[in-house]
Amino acid sequence: MKKITKDITIEDLVTEFPESVGFLMKKGIKCIVCGEPIWGTLEQAIKEKGKEGEMEQIIDELNEVLGLKEEKEK
């Protein structure tokens, strides 16, 4: 399965990986407003919370929590 990147839309992230919402909430990153996914990408949501410097770490941890590994090139 493909790893999550900063370019994934929040809508796709929440739809494909609903368990990501709880993880991101613990990091202070909002994904849901009034029961609906926010607009934009994961990168935009992280930047909105002033966590640009932690972006790579947050995304790596999210992939680890979700058990996603990068597909190997053939």
Side-chain angles (χ1 to χ4, degrees):
M1 190 173 276
K2 199 171 185 180
K3 285 179 73 169
I4 290 170
T5 68
K6 66 182 182 178
D7 300 317
I8 190 169
T9 65
I10 295 296
E11 184 177 17
D12 286 345
L13 181 65
V14 169
T15 302
E16 295 176 39
F17 307 100
E19 60 276 28
S20 65
V21 175
F23 171 82
L24 292 171
M25 282 179 58
K26 289 178 187 174
K27 297 288 184 182
I29 300 164
K30 181 172 40 174
C31 295
I32 304 285
V33 174
C34 297
E36 295 294 324
I38 63 169
W39 291 98
T41 63
L42 180 56
E43 177 181 26
Q44 291 167 327
I46 292 171
K47 284 182 174 181
E48 185 178 290
K49 292 300 178 183
K51 296 182 180 254
E52 301 96 302
E54 301 171 53
M55 188 174 316
E56 189 174 323
Q57 178 184 348
I58 290 169
I59 293 171
D60 286 346
E61 286 179 29
L62 179 58
N63 278 301
E64 188 175 319
V65 165
L66 297 175
L68 301 176
K69 296 184 179 179
E70 195 165 359
E71 293 178 340
K72 294 181 181 178
E73 292 183 23
K74 295 179 182 176

